[in-house]
Amino acid sequence: NSARAAMMELLNSQLLAVLVAAGLLFGNELLVQHLLVTQLVAIKLVLSLRKAPLWRLFWWLDGALAVLLFLLLRILQMPFATADEHVWELYANKMRTLFPSYLGTAVQKEPTFNTRLYNAVSVFDFISWKNIEVGFQTKVYHMAALALVFQSGALLLQILPHAGKETQSQSYAHVFASMVLLLQTGLFLVLGCFISRLKCIGVPFLLLFASVALAPKPLEMLTGRGGSDSRARAA
């Protein structure tokens, strides 16, 4: 259906961007072996090899299979994909900083040398208010907030009424892809708050979400009228 097609287009565009970036960085292993790349590949494989579930009760099955495939791929990558080994250590250290009793006193331990090394660099620290307020000065947050209003309305009018149904509406596909992009944006922005360097991923996603949600005609996305859908109905 249109939702799966929109998801596939979104995955293809992101994988193409990764491919271009990998080429420009001469196959940098930090990028090629990144968790996000493995996730994109897992979701693409599931969508490519499976058809949409016939029963609405199994709407969650594709997502569960993508998670299992992601875990399998990471296990296969473990012998050589070591670039993200520090992620859990950094996460645990950040949580202990915010919540001293995190994981309980029985498992608390001193940060490892790698963790201390990363924390000594400012880009791995919590994001500073100076970095956050730039979004207010450039009006990025204002545009994103307006885009979120349109996206919320589109969710209520375009997505929820058609949940679990087959539809070929292009407006539905557009809104669905925007919702996926919004979810990715939110996750990357949260990560960027914990590790300042990751704002270089979340902010471009925020700009992309705002541009997709507000262009070219926001009201068409909200109501599902106009554009190719209107021409199709007229025909």
Side-chain angles (χ1 to χ4, degrees):
N1 56 29
S2 59
R4 293 173 71 88
M7 186 68 180
M8 186 64 77
E9 290 183 8
L10 189 62
L11 290 171
N12 290 339
S13 64
Q14 293 187 1
L15 285 172
L16 178 60
V18 170
L19 183 62
V20 172
L24 294 175
L25 295 174
F26 304 100
N28 184 284
E29 65 175 6
L30 294 176
L31 176 62
V32 176
Q33 300 171 4
H34 197 276
L35 293 168
L36 176 62
V37 177
T38 307
Q39 178 195 44
L40 294 176
V41 171
I43 297 174
K44 181 175 175 60
L45 287 175
V46 170
L47 292 180
S48 300
L49 300 177
R50 277 182 49 82
K51 295 182 179 179
L54 298 177
W55 293 352
R56 297 183 189 177
L57 183 63
F58 295 115
W59 58 269
W60 51 270
L61 187 57
D62 285 347
L65 290 174
V67 172
L68 292 176
L69 182 57
F70 166 79
L71 294 176
L72 177 60
L73 291 175
R74 292 307 297 183
I75 292 175
L76 295 176
Q77 289 178 281
M78 283 178 63
F80 54 88
T82 59
D84 293 315
E85 287 184 344
H86 63 283
V87 171
W88 167 248
E89 293 182 7
L90 285 175
Y91 170 77
N93 182 257
K94 297 290 184 182
M95 289 295 99
R96 289 193 182 99
T97 301
L98 294 175
F99 310 102
S101 60
Y102 176 69
L103 295 180
T105 56
V107 294
Q108 285 190 8
K109 60 181 181 179
E110 289 296 318
T112 64
F113 173 78
N114 285 338
T115 302
R116 292 179 183 274
L117 187 63
Y118 279 111
N119 287 337
V121 183
S122 61
V123 293
F124 287 96
D125 201 354
F126 292 101
I127 193 171
S128 65
W129 175 250
K130 182 178 180 181
N131 288 326
I132 295 177
E133 66 181 358
V134 172
F136 292 105
Q137 298 170 356
T138 58
K139 309 301 180 183
V140 170
Y141 299 149
H142 302 74
M143 298 297 292
L146 181 59
L148 184 60
V149 170
F150 282 110
Q151 188 66 49
S152 300
L155 173 65
L156 296 175
L157 297 176
Q158 297 296 318
I159 298 295
L160 296 184
H162 300 287
K165 301 178 182 178
E166 290 286 340
T167 176
Q168 298 299 325
S169 170
Q170 292 189 11
S171 59
Y172 177 92
H174 179 80
V175 174
F176 180 85
S178 297
M179 289 300 301
V180 174
L181 187 59
L182 174 60
L183 179 60
Q184 290 181 314
T185 301
L187 291 174
F188 281 124
L189 288 177
V190 171
L191 289 174
C193 291
F194 282 88
I195 300 178
S196 181
R197 187 181 72 161
L198 294 182
K199 67 180 181 291
C200 65
I201 303 178
V203 173
F205 267 80
L206 184 65
L207 295 171
L208 180 60
F209 167 71
S211 63
V212 169
L214 295 177
K217 297 180 180 179
L219 292 180
E220 288 185 4
M221 184 189 76
L222 180 62
T223 63
R225 300 175 181 177
S228 57
D229 288 346
S230 296
R231 289 191 292 270
R233 284 192 293 269

